[in-house]
Amino acid sequence: MDDQGYRRKSKPVAKLAFRDLELATLADAVPAGPGWVHEVKFDGYRTLTVIDDGAVTMYSRSGLDWTTKYAEIARRLKALKVRNAILDGEIVALNAHGASSFSKLKAELGAGRSEDLQYYLFDLLVLDDEDLTRQPLVERKRRLETLLATAEFENHIIYSEHFAEKANFLPHLCSLDMEGIVSKRGDSIYTGRRSKAWLKVKCHKRQEFVIVGFTESDHAGRGFRSLLLGYYEDGELQFAGKVGTGFNQDTLFDIRKKLDKLKAVPKPFKKLPPDVGPGTWVQPSMVCEVEFTEWTPEGRLRHPSFQGLREDKAATTIGRDKALPVEIAAKAAQAEVEVAAEKPKRRHPAAPLKPGKAGRVDVGGVSISHPDRIVFPDLGVTKLELVRYYEQIAERILPHVANRPLSLLRVPDNVDGQQFFQRHLPEHGGVPNVSDVKIPIKNRTEDYMKIEDARGLLSLVQWGGIEFHPWGCQADTPLLPDRMIFDLDPDPEAPWSSVIEGAAEVRDRMNEFGLISFLKTTGGKGLHVVVPIVPKFGWPAIKGFTKAVAESMAHDSPDRFIANMSKAKRKGRIFIDYLRNDLTSTAAAAFTVRARSGAGVSTPLNWSELKVSLKPSAFNLQTIFRRLKAQTSDPWADYFAVRQTLRPEILQALKLPIE
DNA sequence: GCGCTAA
DNA sequence: TTAGCGCAACGCAGT
DNA sequence: ACTGCG
Ligand SMILES: [Mn+2]
Ligand SMILES: [Mn+2]
């Protein structure tokens, strides 16, 4: 009608293809209110039609091309004068009362006939290169109605009307033999997912079940006595009961034929009520529709009646339908519609990030929520102060955490509350400025986190990250560690002097191997001695070497050091923890804050500071900058300049793999 | 902190 | 809508 | 084989 601009503006349009359908959520009643419109629910095949450049393709709900089954409908659709379009609707066969009949539909299609079918259309996603999916439903339907009025379809292609709220609409439709109602928010967009802005309400309790087996009939000529039904819950097959009525001669015979083709399997249920009797169990692959009056308390169907086989659903997707209380559904729908409306809000370019969320602060290009949240209750340190710490320290910490696989200790509330490690990026959502890095882990590869810059660092803090635990390797050479670490873990009873001596001894032993090492506090009670190395040898070699060093120290000073992680055996000694030296093991980074009261910071030290008077607790998020400002030189200045490696002979002597 | 699922 | 949940995972060591 | 530890 309006703008039928045949002259294209040189825009090469991507070929239109199948896309995921909007699916309705099952509700237990029809939602009320002016925001909702209501349509008849049909009992047929959901069908998406793509018209492109004169070609009509009709897809099933799962994207299968069923055009040839619907040849007559497809032919009629060619009467539409459009360059291209995507239409959504349901293919049905009407019975004598004008209600859609699924069994009649199957009979027609089984006979290869489509000339008596109807296609009810209720949505228009694309028209003449215009994407309508973000338009409100009522607007899409208005365009659809207008479009369908431009051609004569002899009542085979029909606009599915909607109605405003009417008292007793559902009982009325049910008395007319309809399947139910689909209620839709008039202002909802087409998301292509299951949505609560579309709610379906059924007249009868009916749903699909997996056919898990059958029982034999006493009567020759009857294909079977009943079908055994199941559904999946948490990936496990559950028994739902038997259905023995609703069949006719043809369906009995046809289904038995199909069942015989399936492989017999052992009884898939642990315990079954005895009344089920002997049955033949088959591979759970066939799906059928069953109407019933209710679920018994034992979880079985009451008065089930077979309604037909369904071929458009995979067995494993069949679960027990549970209708959502309509009040909850309606609230969720409201929220969905509001969220959808918020997204393209580019009205005021000056608007702050995350409009509608007050009190956010921008730090280094990252929007920080809840800046005043107290993260360290003992010090009263807020989230914003933590963020500012990492902003200030970014230059110093980034060389230790960027471009490597990175694990994170997250604390969404405060350090006295819940804490958890995270090393994968979440499957849904994700974090801005944080990327995936693929790491091969025993014959498969997994995705871990990586950041590259201060924005990534701050994004992780916004995400609740406090402690940064980089892996001992760079992201692009994960199998070749670029540092060794000795993590000195003192027993609570161990004298501080032993820790000091332990670190000094590690340093001296490294010197004997020609290796320069670096000292830092952990932010907690221990110390770290870190040895940067050229990525050259693999983890087994490096771990084996550090283990040998730890065991040698424990051997020489069994009163002070132990190389065994057992806490019981530690008593008053230092555990020389060499186990950090493995692919998936981590250690706290230099300059990371620890998520414990005191907000200790892992602080690089000069070896000259290694004295009993050393007080690691003096270095925390509030005090560290005083120290850094007062320093005339960086004790770790050479950390990234040192290029050193273990001599292969050493590894050989330890019978460790070289390369 | 945040997205998912269930109700 | 709200409530509740998960958010690492592997080798070492002791039983 | 199961459990605590880092
Ligand atoms: Mn430690
Ligand atoms: Mn340790």
Side-chain angles (χ1 to χ4, degrees), chain A residues 22 48 63 112 132 144 159 185 195 281 288 337 352 414 470 488 509 543-544 551 572:
Chain A
E22 188 85 3
L48 188 84
L132 302 178
L144 175 65
Y159 172 71
R185 286 282 303 222
S195 156
W281 305 94
C288 67
V337 167
N414 69 60
L488 277 60
R509 286 177 180 251
K543 184 179 182 182
E551 284 175 343

Side-chain angles (χ1 to χ4, degrees), chain A residues 278-349:
Chain A
T280 304
W281 305 94
V282 298
Q283 202 71 26
S285 59
M286 289 168 67
V287 174
C288 67
E289 177 104 5
V290 172
E291 186 168 314
F292 57 100
T293 56
E294 62 180 340
W295 289 92
T296 68
E298 298 78 41
R300 305 266 299 271
L301 301 178
R302 179 113 59 206
H303 307 314
S305 165
F306 177 82
Q307 302 293 311
L309 292 178
R310 306 295 311 226
E311 267 118 32
D312 54 345
K313 284 263 191 81
T316 50
T317 66
I318 304 299
R320 179 169 164 174
D321 288 351
K322 288 209 203 94
L324 194 64
V326 69
E327 309 79 28
I328 293 168
K331 281 184 194 166
Q334 177 67 33
E336 277 184 29
V337 167
E338 280 170 11
V339 166
E342 206 171 285
K343 282 216 174 110
K345 195 178 242 174
R346 223 162 296 167
R347 303 289 299 273
H348 304 282

